Amino acid sequence: MLTYIYILAITAEAMSGALAAGRRNMDMFGVSVIAFITALGGGTIRDILLGHFPVSWTQHPEYIYLTVSAGLITMLIARFMHHLHKIFLLLDAMGLIAFTIIGCNVALELGYSTPIVVMAGMITGIFGGILRDVLCQRVPVVFRHELYASISLLVALLYLQLEQMGLNHDLNLILSFATGIMMRVAAIYWHWSLPVFSYAPGRWK
Amino acid sequence: MLTYIYILAITAEAMSGALAAGRRNMDMFGVSVIAFITALGGGTIRDILLGHFPVSWTQHPEYIYLTVSAGLITMLIARFMHHLHKIFLLLDAMGLIAFTIIGCNVALELGYSTPIVVMAGMITGIFGGILRDVLCQRVPVVFRHELYASISLLVALLYLQLEQMGLNHDLNLILSFATGIMMRVAAIYWHWSLPVFSYAPGRWK
Amino acid sequence: MLTYIYILAITAEAMSGALAAGRRNMDMFGVSVIAFITALGGGTIRDILLGHFPVSWTQHPEYIYLTVSAGLITMLIARFMHHLHKIFLLLDAMGLIAFTIIGCNVALELGYSTPIVVMAGMITGIFGGILRDVLCQRVPVVFRHELYASISLLVALLYLQLEQMGLNHDLNLILSFATGIMMRVAAIYWHWSLPVFSYAPGRWK
């Protein structure tokens, strides 16, 4: 099940990358690269930080084709995408949760301690978007808008807690997933967000 | 032969890095770092992604000296460089092709599959410039202008195809190299470029 | 001794990250991430480049808590921080020197050659700040202002020279540290800086 959701997820992330590239008037190649990096960059950074070689996508070239195709198709259908805005946000939320849980699993299998497992989940969930925003010259969205990364954190904690309590693995997946999606939808709907830190000194280092 | 071209290539890339740093009014140190990263950053990212340790330049400190020197010398000769514009573009094209072929070879030796070998070639070819542009606060040039990364892709595909057909290695090198240079020169001369994706929504995630 | 200074150092770096995040109006989560990356990013990049796995902080979750806490506390006390400006600059200088020496030690233990050991020291010293500035959309401060990275370089060279001369290790630590701090304080006080390279062509690649 996680694999299917993962495929949906990287497709959605690749499309969000393509749209960001389009806002910077990139060419087809730039769109492909940003789509690929947005979709698979989080998992790549996780693998490198955890010393988990070979990096996942090097063993699954089909994910390269999928994300690049999703990026290119986005170029064609972008004009219709505001009609799909809600579906897109939902796919994006599914991606965030699926990436988080997959990231936790990778770190668990490598025997890392709980805080690092949680970090691995969050890094997988959010760093694709951070790389996208850095390459497209934006302050990362994930640091500023409605609850997003925090939901990745909460899902990681919930998933690990239920796992340690010995809950059936599939049940845990379903529960963590549903909770995460609901939290994200609620955050978007009611504009939940974290306190913002605004610092504007006269002159400072 | 590839080694000599490689040395020319990292010199040219280091100079392009230094010029980008100069446009941001960086100091001598910044120029050195950007020169180094532009020249050797692509290979570094390739090595890390492929789990190929130790990273190449850590075994060749002479390349560190070379790229830093090239960056510093660029500070002195920059005012004359527009006279050398064409030579510079040619060196840059040679760098792109040499980096691509070297990147393919590294991945081939590590036993990666064909799509990853092609990716390794392209990453070596273009990521130095991407890092340069991110550090100098620009949207990466490679995602926007005349065919550049696409040529890296085509050269990688050609080189691998000829290799698989059992062509003599040196002949393959010469053929792939000449084809790449000609394509790049043609792309600059006739302003070949890929379709651009411009996306400007009212308000979007 | 180096451990205590290291703890002070990552706290100071985390605070500088939090202030940079505040200037971009990031939320609590963004502040935490930038604080963490500013403090531990330099060491992380060093570990990855040297193939030194597992990455240090994955074995010391307490540093994650420390840097995130320092970032969040900075949100509360930022309004008072201009009173602490001088202490803060001193802590930052201590961080730079401590990071540099620690970075050299890591590369020495892994058996790298002298130029790479020096690079490892500098990367540990300055890359946290570079990542902070890239994520906060600034041209890295370290490439532009008073001597900073150069001091990291000089400290690394001094430390290695004294080590090779067979000086007592603790004495070397104290000497290198004191020299570094004095140089940095002098650089700030007298505005020592490197020549700047300003390049503004009409139109260039």
Side-chain angles (χ1 to χ4, degrees), chain C residues 14 31 40 71 80 87 98 112 115 129 148 153 159 175 184 191 194 199:
Chain C
V31 169
L40 299 176
F80 313 114
I87 295 171
Y112 280 97
Y148 189 89
L153 173 62
Y159 176 73
L175 259 176
R184 176 68 184 143
H191 295 289
L194 289 173
Y199 181 69

Side-chain angles (χ1 to χ4, degrees), chain B residues 22 25-29 53 137, chain C residues 48 137 143 149 195 197-199:
Chain B
N25 306 312
M26 291 191 188
D27 64 21
M28 276 174 65
F29 183 84
F53 296 103
Q137 288 260 40
Chain C
I48 292 172
Q137 289 259 41
F143 295 158
F197 175 37
S198 290
Y199 181 69

Side-chain angles (χ1 to χ4, degrees), chain A residues 48 137 143 149 195 197-199, chain C residues 22 25-29 53 137:
Chain A
I48 292 173
Q137 289 259 42
F143 295 158
F197 175 36
S198 293
Y199 181 68
Chain C
N25 306 313
M26 290 190 189
D27 64 20
M28 275 175 66
F29 183 84
F53 295 103
Q137 289 259 41

Side-chain angles (χ1 to χ4, degrees), chain C residues 42-78:
Chain C
T44 303
I45 289 192
R46 174 205 64 219
D47 283 347
I48 292 172
L49 286 174
L50 301 183
H52 178 236
F53 295 103
V55 168
S56 304
W57 57 262
T58 63
Q59 309 304 303
H60 294 280
E62 63 273 21
Y63 293 151
I64 306 175
Y65 302 137
L66 175 63
T67 53
V68 168
S69 307
L72 295 177
I73 289 169
T74 304
M75 287 178 71
L76 301 175
I77 64 168

Side-chain angles (χ1 to χ4, degrees), chain B:
Chain B
M1 187 189 82
L2 211 54
T3 306
Y4 289 111
I5 293 172
Y6 179 72
I7 286 171
L8 272 179
I10 59 175
T11 307
E13 293 303 310
M15 294 175 84
S16 96
L19 292 178
R23 251 173 270 133
R24 290 295 182 184
N25 306 312
M26 291 191 188
D27 64 21
M28 276 174 65
F29 183 84
V31 169
S32 307
V33 174
I34 302 288
F36 169 76
I37 291 179
T38 307
L40 300 175
T44 303
I45 289 192
R46 174 205 64 219
D47 283 347
I48 292 173
L49 286 175
L50 302 183
H52 178 236
F53 296 103
V55 168
S56 305
W57 57 262
T58 64
Q59 309 303 303
H60 295 280
E62 64 272 22
Y63 294 150
I64 306 175
Y65 302 137
L66 175 64
T67 53
V68 168
S69 307
L72 296 178
I73 289 169
T74 305
M75 287 178 71
L76 300 176
I77 63 169
R79 73 189 69 180
F80 313 113
M81 285 195 68
H82 60 275
H83 298 303
L84 307 171
H85 191 183
K86 281 174 192 163
I87 295 171
F88 191 75
L89 279 177
L90 191 66
L91 286 176
D92 182 67
M94 290 171 68
L96 176 66
I97 316 293
F99 282 8
T100 301
I101 294 176
I102 291 168
C104 288
N105 285 339
V106 171
L108 276 174
E109 271 163 42
L110 294 169
Y112 279 97
S113 64
T114 305
I116 306 305
V117 171
V118 173
M119 295 277 291
M122 293 175 64
I123 288 167
T124 313
I126 67 172
F127 257 82
I130 293 176
L131 289 177
R132 173 198 65 206
D133 291 345
V134 165
L135 288 172
C136 293
Q137 288 260 40
R138 303 196 287 184
V139 172
V141 166
V142 66
F143 295 157
R144 299 210 295 184
H145 286 185
E146 293 97 357
L147 292 193
Y148 190 89
S150 324
I151 290 169
S152 174
L153 172 62
L154 293 174
V155 168
L157 292 173
L158 174 66
Y159 176 74
L160 289 178
Q161 185 59 41
L162 295 178
E163 198 77 10
Q164 276 173 2
M165 285 165 58
L167 192 73
N168 171 284
H169 184 73
D170 287 347
L171 198 60
N172 183 355
L173 268 185
I174 291 168
L175 259 176
S176 300
F177 209 88
T179 313
I181 296 284
M182 280 188 303
M183 283 194 295
R184 175 70 183 143
V185 168
I188 294 172
Y189 192 79
W190 285 295
H191 296 288
W192 288 349
S193 60
L194 288 173
V196 163
F197 175 37
S198 292
Y199 180 69
R203 196 195 160 277
W204 183 267
K205 183 201 160 179

Side-chain angles (χ1 to χ4, degrees), chain C residues 156-185:
Chain C
L157 291 173
L158 175 66
Y159 176 73
L160 289 178
Q161 186 59 42
L162 294 178
E163 199 77 10
Q164 276 172 1
M165 285 165 58
L167 192 73
N168 172 284
H169 184 71
D170 288 346
L171 198 59
N172 184 355
L173 268 185
I174 293 168
L175 259 176
S176 300
F177 208 88
T179 313
I181 295 284
M182 280 189 303
M183 284 195 293
R184 176 68 184 143
V185 168

Side-chain angles (χ1 to χ4, degrees), chain A residues 20-37:
Chain A
R23 251 172 271 132
R24 291 294 182 185
N25 305 313
M26 291 190 189
D27 64 22
M28 274 174 65
F29 183 83
V31 169
S32 307
V33 174
I34 303 288
F36 169 75
I37 291 179

